[in-house]
Amino acid sequence: MTTPVGQTPSVLGRALLLLEPFRHREGLTLTELAERTGFPRSTTHRMLTQLVAVGWIRREGTTYLLGPKMAELGSIAQVHDRVHRAAQPVAYQLYRRTRGAVHVAVAASEDVLLLEKIGGRWAAANLDTRVGQRRGRGETAEGAALTRHEAGGPTQFHDIHRTLDSGEHIRCLAATFDVAGQGATHESTGGVAVISLTFPAARIHPSADEELRRGVSAVVHSLS
């Protein structure tokens, strides 16, 4: 990370500059970090103390290392990226074959994080969802499916009926499945994902369930 000449980096910018040297060394001392960043020792020490407090950095004697929070965030990002890459082509295929609105999402603590949304004019006008959006599980059909998911089991299928604020009834077919963290050493580095097909309740595609099952099977196989 670089800062334009003459411009003082923000607090966040300084924190990122302090983390940058860990790309090349697993552990660094206060003196080494001050030298590599150009920060005064007092500033470096104060920032390290704050980063240790929130778990971004950990300290072993006089050596500083990346902390558990950084590892956790990195693992979560890896899982999200793997799910999106595996599911995106399947999502487009599902939309072409059924014309239902397709969502790909993952569990994010007590929320649901939307990774992909593919749909036509009906989905754009009626489904208040967007890529990158984080919603409470009770606010979306995908969140409801994730709440029903039983960890450690096979792919689970859910048939959810909801009523939109407009009064329109919709039907959502959703499949939830566990996603293991790549190279994970413990379960918490993985996650749970959901792929769904949503239609106006009166216009559901006759083969939607079969298409969803086939598509999700391909995604799970790709992730295994």
Side-chain angles (χ1 to χ4, degrees):
M1 176 183 174
T2 59
T3 301
V5 176
Q7 180 176 324
T8 302
S10 63
V11 173
L12 178 58
R14 290 198 300 272
L16 293 174
L17 286 170
L18 194 59
L19 293 170
E20 193 70 22
F22 290 100
R23 287 181 182 271
H24 312 291
R25 282 272 300 277
E26 182 178 357
L28 293 156
T29 66
L30 170 62
T31 300
E32 289 171 330
L33 284 164
E35 290 175 349
R36 292 176 184 234
T37 59
F39 299 153
R41 279 177 60 90
S42 59
T43 300
T44 305
H45 182 265
R46 183 175 66 253
M47 293 178 63
L48 285 169
T49 300
Q50 294 170 346
L51 292 172
V52 168
V54 296
W56 285 25
I57 295 288
R58 62 188 172 92
R59 182 178 178 178
E60 292 184 1
T62 59
T63 301
Y64 293 89
L65 306 97
L66 290 179
K69 182 64 70 175
M70 294 295 290
E72 178 187 348
L73 292 173
S75 180
I76 291 171
Q78 184 186 61
V79 168
H80 292 180
D81 182 58
R82 289 179 59 227
V83 170
H84 184 256
R85 283 188 285 111
Q88 188 181 49
V90 170
Y92 276 104
Q93 204 169 62
L94 282 171
Y95 174 68
R96 285 197 300 269
R97 289 177 176 174
T98 69
R99 290 304 176 189
V102 185
H103 290 92
V104 179
V106 291
S109 186
E110 297 303 311
D111 298 331
V112 55
L113 176 65
L114 187 66
L115 303 181
E116 187 64 83
K117 175 183 180 179
I118 301 168
R121 285 179 293 180
W122 175 81
N126 294 280
L127 301 180
D128 182 25
T129 52
R130 64 179 185 277
V131 174
Q133 186 179 46
R134 185 167 178 149
R135 301 277 292 275
R137 293 198 187 190
E139 298 177 34
T140 66
E142 291 72 30
L146 288 169
T147 298
R148 297 178 185 179
H149 180 80
E150 296 179 9
T155 300
Q156 294 153 47
F157 294 88
H158 315 269
D159 190 347
I160 299 169
H161 295 254
R162 294 174 75 92
T163 303
L164 300 177
D165 291 341
S166 63
E168 182 176 19
H169 297 289
I170 64 170
R171 186 175 173 189
C172 175
L173 304 179
T176 55
F177 52 93
D178 293 319
V179 183
Q182 200 167 39
T185 56
H186 49 84
E187 186 178 344
S188 64
T189 58
V192 183
V194 57
I195 299 176
S196 69
L197 273 171
T198 303
F199 304 84
R203 300 207 311 268
I204 188 167
H205 193 280
S207 62
D209 182 73
E210 178 185 348
E211 292 290 350
L212 178 63
R213 289 174 182 271
R214 183 185 300 119
V216 171
S217 177
V219 173
V220 171
H221 178 74
S222 175
L223 290 169
S224 62

